[in-house]
């Protein structure tokens, strides 16, 4: 799963599925996810948009489009997508953190922090601690400590969200350090690992 040629193979399979089932919204979502993993951001948004056109009910579930909006620098649309997502997934820290990141990039960190939406019951300890960091209630070291206690996945998420945190704080050196470590040291078979890889690629952090 960690090699782009397998992503290219998956892309070809979804292209074929869509040729055979042009009205299948799930096929567009899956192809959009592959396009995103290949750093084809605009193409991924087009696929997610097509999925919504085919079935408007899926709009609150298109968290993947919110991530693509972030990397397309369409921050207002990203923040709106994550707000809508929270109406059906109110316990997910990642939705509100990505909304924070979108607002921070467009309106500034202070506005993002004051408008951070409350999420209380995410079952993942690392994400609870990430939320505390973004809310201004703990330190980066606190996030790393919880990450270390939760193995490779915890380490990955702590490094990813610290990198994103530092980027909107305009601390590019620390953002790069943490994102690159997330990608290189803590590979997991997870969409968010691919996101970190895309982030690294788009920023030119080889």
């Amino acid at each position: 799963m960690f090699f782009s040629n397998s992503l290219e193979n998956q892309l070809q399979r979804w292209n074929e599925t869509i040729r055979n089932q042009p009205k299948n919204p799930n096929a567009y979502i899956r192809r959009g996810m592959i396009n995103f993993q290949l750093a084809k951001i605009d193409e991924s948004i087009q696929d997610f948009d097509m999925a919504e056109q085919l079935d408007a009910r899926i709009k609150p579930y298109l968290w993947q489009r919110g991530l693509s909006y972030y990397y397309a620098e369409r921050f207002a649309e990203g923040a709106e997508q994550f707000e809508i997502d929270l109406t059906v997934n109110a316990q997910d820290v990642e939705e509100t953190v990505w909304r924070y990141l979108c607002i921070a990039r467009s309106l500034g960190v202070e506005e993002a922090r004051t408008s951070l939406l409350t999420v209380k019951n995410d079952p993942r300890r690392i994400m609870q601690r990430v939320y505390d960091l973004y809310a201004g209630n703990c330190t980066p070291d606190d996030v790393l400590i919880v990450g270390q206690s939760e193995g490779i996945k915890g380490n990955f998420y702590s490094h990813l969200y610290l990198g994103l945190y530092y980027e909107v704080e305009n601390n590019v050196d620390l953002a790069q350090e943490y994102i690159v470590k997330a990608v290189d040291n803590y590979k997991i078979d997870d969409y968010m690992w691919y996101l970190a890889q895309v982030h690294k690629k788009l920023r030119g952090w080889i």
Side-chain angles (χ1 to χ4, degrees):
M1 285 291 287
F2 295 114
F3 302 100
S4 60
N5 65 340
S6 72
L7 289 173
E8 293 286 0
N9 291 340
Q10 291 177 63
L11 183 63
Q12 293 308 317
R13 286 204 298 274
W14 286 112
N15 285 341
E16 193 170 327
T17 300
I18 286 168
R19 275 195 297 273
N20 294 327
Q21 304 174 38
K23 302 292 188 186
N24 180 346
N26 184 58
Y28 286 97
I29 293 173
R30 297 301 297 271
R31 188 174 72 176
M33 293 172 73
I34 300 299
N35 274 321
F36 177 81
Q37 290 168 269
L38 289 165
K40 298 177 178 179
I41 306 302
D42 291 341
E43 291 91 334
S44 72
I45 293 171
Q46 290 166 15
D47 278 337
F48 299 138
D49 287 350
M50 179 58 73
E52 185 189 352
Q53 286 176 34
L54 290 168
D55 184 356
R57 294 170 299 176
I58 66 175
K59 184 172 184 177
Y61 301 94
L62 282 174
W63 54 269
Q64 303 96 327
R65 182 169 62 183
L67 299 173
S68 293
Y69 280 148
Y70 182 84
Y71 289 100
E73 300 193 357
R74 293 166 63 175
F75 300 120
E77 289 162 288
E80 181 190 15
Q81 177 70 59
F82 292 118
E83 269 185 53
I84 293 166
D85 297 349
L86 282 159
T87 65
V88 295
N89 195 9
Q91 312 310 327
D92 191 328
V93 165
E94 289 182 275
E95 305 277 19
T96 195
V97 161
W98 278 99
R99 178 179 174 274
Y100 171 108
L101 293 166
C102 287
I103 293 170
R105 290 290 301 276
S106 55
L107 302 174
V109 168
E110 287 308 311
E111 177 66 26
R113 186 160 290 145
T114 56
S115 64
L116 185 67
L117 299 173
T118 302
V119 178
K120 291 184 175 176
N121 297 313
D122 194 309
R124 300 167 295 174
R125 281 183 64 235
I126 185 57
M127 292 315 303
Q128 291 172 13
R129 191 48 49 130
V130 164
Y131 182 87
D132 291 341
L133 175 71
Y134 282 68
N137 296 328
C138 78
T139 68
D141 281 345
D142 294 330
V143 175
L144 289 172
I145 288 165
V146 172
Q148 286 165 1
S149 75
E150 299 204 329
I152 186 169
K153 200 160 191 176
N155 272 315
F156 168 77
Y157 276 98
S158 65
H159 283 75
L160 170 63
Y161 282 105
L162 279 173
L164 292 163
Y165 173 85
Y166 282 121
E167 184 168 81
V168 298
E169 298 274 348
N170 294 316
N171 190 331
V172 177
D173 290 343
L174 282 177
Q176 180 173 350
E177 177 185 337
Y178 282 107
I179 296 284
V180 170
K181 278 185 181 174
V183 175
D184 293 351
N185 297 354
Y186 304 113
K187 285 186 178 181
I188 55 174
D189 187 9
D190 186 291
Y191 194 70
M192 299 307 289
W193 181 85
Y194 284 101
L195 175 139
Q197 188 182 50
V198 166
H199 193 114
K200 179 182 166 187
K201 181 176 182 177
L202 293 177
R203 301 295 185 258
W205 298 340
I206 306 305

